[in-house]
Amino acid sequence: MAVKRIVANIAAPATTAASKFYCDVLGMQVAMDLGWIVTFAAEASAAPQISVATQGGAGTPVPDISIEVDNFLEVHRRAVAAGYAVEYGPVVEPWGVRRFYVRDPFGRLLNILTHIG
């Protein structure tokens, strides 16, 4: 038996604000909408991962979700233009990522990153 997929489930009072962030800012697509749950997916998928951490690196809080993007500057621009407050960064970290922290509409701390090098 092998893990085929890991899904992050975010509790929210309503799903309407989710599309504005996950589609408009991050460029994801709605994969399923049952009204009470909306699933967003990227075009490409990676192997399932779970990280367990005592801190978020560089003394930051542990983010709820890390999202790697291929258009970092554009995602940052969209997040700021949409009025989301960047809580950390953008910064290039010594372990080879460029990243920033932002909260989604439900208060979850997201680590938006791209690998550099």
Side-chain angles (χ1 to χ4, degrees), residues 56-61 72 76 85-95 99-103 109-112:
T60 64
F72 181 86
H76 181 265
V86 172
E87 295 191 14
Y88 176 74
V91 63
V92 173
E93 301 288 12
W95 54 89
R99 67 182 181 152
F100 70 93
Y101 281 8
V102 65
R103 292 197 184 269
L109 186 61
L110 305 183
N111 174 33
I112 309 297

Side-chain angles (χ1 to χ4, degrees), residues 25-78:
V25 173
L26 291 176
M28 299 178 82
Q29 305 296 318
V30 174
M32 176 184 73
D33 185 348
L34 300 178
W36 59 272
I37 184 172
V38 179
T39 300
F40 301 92
E43 291 180 20
S45 63
Q49 292 182 301
I50 297 175
S51 296
V52 178
T54 60
Q55 61 144 317
T60 64
V62 176
D64 295 301
I65 303 171
S66 291
I67 300 173
E68 184 177 359
V69 298
D70 64 0
N71 56 344
F72 181 86
L73 294 175
E74 178 62 17
V75 170
H76 181 265
R77 185 198 66 73
R78 286 188 220 155

Side-chain angles (χ1 to χ4, degrees), residues 9-12 21-22 63-65 102-110:
N9 295 307
I10 298 172
F21 185 82
Y22 288 97
D64 295 301
I65 303 171
V102 65
R103 292 197 184 269
D104 76 1
F106 315 109
R108 298 292 186 235
L109 186 61
L110 305 183

